[in-house]
Amino acid sequence: MSIRKVLGVLAAAAMAVSLCGCGEGASEYDASSIGPKLNIGITFDRPGLGFSHSSEYKGLEVDLARLIAQDLGYSPNQIVWKQVRPGSREGALTSGQVDMVLASYSITQARKQVVDFAGPYFMAGQDLLVRKDEGSIKGVDSLEDRRVCTEKGSTSSQVIRRRAPKALLQERDELGQCITALLSGDADAASSDDFVLAGLAHVKGGGQLRLVGVPFTRERYGVGVRKDQAELVSTINHALEKMMKDGGWAAAVKEAASSIGYQVDPSSRRPDRLDGSLSSEVR
């Protein structure tokens, strides 16, 4: 079943619950404290996760955000999509520009000092993207004196500095610029999460790029909200739990992966608990 059909089924079910007032475990969160519109921060340039084209928003995080909004009682036309970048996510939340963020937002201890997280809702791993004819880069341990491009403000930059201190790190404002640098020969590798890289390679790589396929971190994507909103975190977790039980989450993951030509087993990307677990290095 496609995610659009899943959304339709869940919308009908939600309407029925609201009319009868009898939904078991229904959310008790008062969404009126947020306001008549729900401002959601997403990426606009990450195919498969959050992507904007001709005022249409697509991707796994867009689909999950819509389902969360529905659980909070918001209709699709009450959602306001706002672009966030790695370096602006905390600021967008703390300033009130957005009410929540779903933007490949890895849960880290440093970030939890500033914002709260629901989830995690998806598991990824930092990897490397290289040109197809590149045979010497086999993982993070073979980056000495190699030019590695990352997005400014991302955890990917921090990990490369820590795990490959002799790499020649290049930070650019947008990850898409790293793809351009890789294709032109100005960089030897681009580093970000595997799902992110797969999406950009599919859309921008022209068949000339490949994933190394040796992830060296475990990234847990969370829904970021402002601090001290325990009820909202609990409600979002409840919505995520429902999606994971009724098949909506797996359908969204499959559709997102298919849209970028990436082979993914949803069960391998499903978190085992919704407790704000931190991202971690695994190699």
Side-chain angles (χ1 to χ4, degrees):
M1 181 182 293
S2 74
I3 189 60
R4 290 179 180 82
K5 290 182 179 178
V6 171
L7 285 166
V9 170
L10 292 179
M15 183 174 292
V17 168
S18 66
L19 290 174
C20 70
C22 57
E24 182 180 352
S27 168
E28 296 180 357
Y29 180 74
D30 182 9
S32 66
S33 62
I34 296 177
K37 297 287 186 180
L38 184 64
N39 297 291
I40 303 179
I42 59 171
T43 57
F44 283 12
D45 57 359
R46 297 195 173 178
L49 288 172
F51 191 67
S52 171
H53 179 68
S54 300
S55 299
E56 186 176 2
Y57 303 96
K58 297 181 178 180
L60 172 64
E61 292 171 330
V62 173
D63 291 334
L64 296 185
R66 287 190 176 114
L67 291 170
I68 291 169
Q70 176 182 290
D71 209 66
L72 289 170
Y74 288 91
S75 63
N77 61 10
Q78 289 178 289
I79 299 173
V80 179
W81 303 106
K82 295 194 174 181
Q83 183 178 24
V84 293
R85 297 198 178 280
S88 70
R89 290 175 294 205
E90 286 87 20
L93 283 167
T94 57
S95 67
Q97 295 176 52
V98 297
D99 302 302
M100 65 180 66
V101 168
L102 288 89
S104 52
Y105 201 7
S106 299
I107 304 173
T108 68
Q109 191 60 54
R111 288 169 176 168
K112 289 182 77 169
Q113 303 305 308
V114 183
V115 301
D116 284 340
F117 286 97
Y121 59 83
F122 188 73
M123 305 288 289
Q126 186 171 342
D127 206 337
L128 299 167
L129 191 69
V130 298
R131 291 180 291 277
K132 276 193 171 180
D133 60 358
E134 170 59 66
S136 63
I137 296 179
K138 303 181 185 300
V140 69
D141 296 328
S142 54
L143 294 178
E144 183 175 348
D145 296 328
R146 306 308 297 270
R147 299 164 299 171
V148 183
C149 190
T150 61
E151 188 170 20
K152 191 179 297 182
S154 66
T155 56
S156 300
S157 298
Q158 300 169 24
V159 171
I160 292 296
R161 286 193 182 96
R162 198 161 55 241
R163 293 295 306 275
K166 294 185 178 180
L168 306 177
L169 185 64
Q170 303 175 350
E171 289 187 285
R172 287 179 165 82
D173 291 333
E174 300 176 15
L175 194 55
Q177 295 171 350
C178 289
I179 306 303
T180 301
L182 191 55
L183 290 169
S184 67
D186 291 334
D188 300 309
S191 189
S192 185
D193 299 341
D194 52 358
F195 207 92
V196 174
L197 293 174
L200 287 169
H202 180 76
V203 171
K204 295 177 176 292
Q208 300 179 56
L209 306 176
R210 65 176 180 86
L211 274 173
V212 171
V214 185
F216 45 93
T217 69
R218 189 179 305 250
E219 304 298 331
R220 294 173 168 90
Y221 291 173
V223 182
V225 300
R226 285 185 290 280
K227 291 289 285 184
D228 302 320
Q229 295 195 91
E231 289 184 4
L232 178 56
V233 168
S234 178
T235 300
I236 294 172
N237 280 336
H238 178 70
L240 292 171
E241 184 178 14
K242 285 197 300 182
M243 293 176 218
M244 292 178 184
K245 286 181 177 179
D246 65 21
W249 178 88
V253 172
K254 286 180 180 178
E255 184 163 312
S258 176
S259 73
I260 58 172
Y262 193 38
Q263 296 294 321
V264 168
D265 175 6
S267 65
S268 70
R269 303 306 179 113
R270 176 174 170 167
D272 55 4
R273 57 192 186 276
L274 303 175
D275 62 354
S277 302
L278 299 177
S279 297
S280 60
E281 292 189 22
V282 296
R283 285 177 59 85

